[in-house]
Amino acid sequence: MNDMVAGMRGWLEAAQAMQSDTVALRRAIHAEPELGLQTPKTMAKVREALKDLPLEWKSGTSTTGAVAVLRGAKPGRTVLLRGDMDALPMPEDTGLPFRSRVNNTMHACGHDTHTAMLASAARILCGRRGELAGTVLFMFQPGEEGYHGARYMIEDGLLADPAPEAAFALHIMPNAPAGVFGSKAGPLLASADEMSITVRGKGGHASMPHDAIDPVPVACEIVTAIQVFVTRRMNIFDPAVVTVAKIEGGSTDNVIPESASLLGTVRTLSEAARERVHEGIKRVAENVARAHECEADAAIERGFPVTVNDARAVALAQKAIAGLFGADAWRAMASPIMGAEDFSYVLQKVPGAMMFLGVCPEGQQWKMACPCHSNRMLLNEASLARGVAAHCAIAERFLSQGFD
Ligand SMILES: [Zn+2]
Ligand SMILES: [Zn+2]
């Protein structure tokens, strides 16, 4: 019955009535993308779009991001909705009329749509302020693409006073049917750390390797030894992915170089596996090198932590979305994805959930659609109304019922 009531509140109708605004804001942001922690033009567009609303704006010093606070007419719980704002340093080859006008910068991860959907949800929920018991925080966050923007906003105190009791985020996915939502309880996305290994030997003539210490075959052995470590020493039910994506050494055919280097990524689904794989990489690299009279330095730069969804938050989102669009609009994901998200920092502090929203372009098969981070990524803008409605329904449901 509650689901029926939520469905009858008209969130989708309200979102559809705002669809031209959502699309216009998305396209304006798309045409003028910004990178990293400073996205002032994007923020200005959001502020302009929402300037007449009864929102309190909080910002910090580390980023240009802001949290807009909507206080409902009555006191109650506090819920956070998040949209990220930054683009990627890459060329755009979509041919869209509103394609990026900024050289080598593209909204290829859909953060333009996340920001626009969040802005429209803010407008709709402000319109229902009189009925809301509690507070909604709209987190407009730059610096998701490797810049730890969410962590900086937390460190700036933007998620305190009022502190959210639940947090939700949507991420578009062109490789999923348009308008369908998906997520899962527990780990949804991986931790992502950068591994760099330098193997040092002794340079010399390529014809006389015994007078040198050749780091190249040792570096190659470390690449395979790491894969053996991952399959033999890591629990398959608490997995890790280690990919050496770059291998570099030497300058010409007749010189043994002094050193060789490896660069790669380390992904896990738990902090325990993360620590174990970090230790293992160092141990394997240093000892394989030592076996061949080389030295290896393995450095791991910690990136985003694991994104862990709270089971109650996923259940809430599923009910809210099923109430809006029917049970078919929700797909329970069978497994996590080994990509990473800095919404993980929010979910370390606040129980919540990230969900994917399918936006396969019209006329395409979703399995074949260009994915996020593709220079030709396209999406179905009509689906954005569903994302806006989902934001509203989820926030309203948490304020009125909590996780029950
Ligand atoms: Zn991305
Ligand atoms: Zn993204």
Side-chain angles (χ1 to χ4, degrees):
M1 184 59 197
N2 280 329
D3 292 337
M4 291 298 293
V5 172
M8 286 157 60
R9 281 179 171 268
W11 298 120
L12 182 59
E13 292 76 4
Q16 273 162 346
M18 287 220 49
Q19 174 69 356
S20 60
D21 289 357
T22 309
V23 168
L25 181 58
R26 182 258 160 162
R27 293 183 177 189
I29 294 169
H30 191 92
E32 203 173 10
E34 296 177 289
L35 300 173
L37 297 171
Q38 307 293 320
T39 59
K41 292 175 182 170
T42 309
M43 197 68 236
K45 290 180 180 75
V46 170
R47 292 293 292 261
E48 176 64 25
L50 303 181
K51 66 181 177 192
D52 57 318
L53 298 179
L55 294 165
E56 296 161 32
W57 290 86
K58 294 170 33 173
S59 52
T61 54
S62 306
T63 82
T64 56
V67 172
V69 183
L70 166 61
R71 292 182 199 275
K74 287 161 272 180
R77 302 180 178 91
T78 299
V79 63
L80 179 143
L81 304 173
R82 176 268 211 167
D84 44 5
M85 311 178 90
D86 57 322
L88 285 155
M90 57 183 283
E92 173 163 355
D93 299 307
T94 61
L96 290 167
F98 54 90
R99 64 185 172 273
S100 173
R101 297 194 300 262
V102 183
N103 207 18
N104 216 37
T105 310
M106 175 184 175
H107 267 293
C109 204
H111 300 182
D112 50 347
T113 68
H114 303 166
T115 301
M117 286 190 286
L118 190 62
S120 290
R123 176 165 289 282
I124 292 167
L125 286 165
C126 283
R128 306 282 181 90
R129 183 167 172 263
E131 303 158 43
L132 292 181
T135 302
V136 188
L137 307 178
F138 302 94
M139 180 181 183
F140 290 97
Q141 182 219 304
E144 191 285 323
E145 294 288 356
Y147 291 87
H148 306 264
R151 174 160 66 77
Y152 283 117
M153 288 183 72
I154 293 167
E155 287 170 3
D156 279 353
L158 300 181
L159 268 56
D161 193 27
E165 294 151 89
F168 297 89
L170 284 176
H171 202 298
I172 60 104
M173 187 181 276
N175 302 107
V180 169
F181 295 79
S183 191
K184 67 179 284 296
L188 179 74
L189 291 155
S191 61
D193 302 318
E194 185 186 284
M195 165 189 79
S196 56
I197 298 172
T198 304
V199 183
R200 278 188 304 278
K202 185 176 156 211
H205 200 290
S207 67
M208 290 169 271
H210 58 286
D211 287 333
I213 300 176
D214 188 353
V216 171
V218 180
C220 295
E221 200 172 318
I222 290 171
V223 173
T224 50
I226 287 172
Q227 298 311 320
V228 174
F229 161 75
V230 169
T231 65
R232 304 295 83 188
R233 302 301 301 148
M234 297 301 293
N235 182 342
I236 194 168
F237 297 108
D238 191 7
V241 169
V242 182
T243 296
V244 176
K246 185 180 176 189
I247 176 163
E248 199 168 46
S251 55
T252 186
D253 71 309
N254 58 359
V255 171
I256 289 173
E258 190 90 352
S259 68
S261 63
L262 308 173
L263 185 68
T265 190
V266 182
R267 310 286 170 124
T268 68
L269 295 174
S270 76
E271 285 301 314
R274 194 181 187 190
E275 293 311 320
R276 186 169 169 79
V277 77
H278 289 183
E279 279 169 35
I281 287 168
K282 287 184 180 167
R283 186 174 69 245
V284 166
E286 286 167 9
N287 286 295
V288 169
R290 192 170 300 136
H292 299 291
E293 299 178 83
C294 286
E295 278 176 26
D297 284 331
I300 309 255
E301 192 175 305
R302 293 170 80 87
F304 301 159
V306 185
T307 301
V308 183
N309 280 342
D310 184 280
R312 297 165 302 164
V314 174
L316 181 153
Q318 178 177 2
K319 284 178 206 153
I321 285 164
L324 286 172
F325 312 117
D328 289 351
W330 180 271
R331 307 272 166 92
M333 289 167 59
S335 57
I337 293 173
M338 297 308 272
E341 240 299 331
D342 82 342
F343 190 59
S344 51
Y345 290 113
V346 177
L347 294 182
Q348 282 183 329
K349 300 251 174 252
V350 185
M354 168 163 258
M355 295 146 284
F356 293 105
L357 167 59
V359 290
C360 177
E362 222 179 317
Q364 293 194 25
Q365 290 180 303
W366 59 266
K367 282 185 183 162
M368 310 296 285
C370 289
C372 281
H373 291 214
S374 161
N375 56 325
R376 292 183 288 114
M377 193 271 272
L378 297 171
L379 55 88
N380 181 328
E381 288 179 325
S383 304
L384 302 182
R386 285 192 161 214
V388 171
H391 269 317
C392 295
I394 288 167
E396 195 276 338
R397 189 178 176 109
F398 182 76
L399 292 190
S400 61
Q401 302 178 40
F403 285 125
D404 293 336

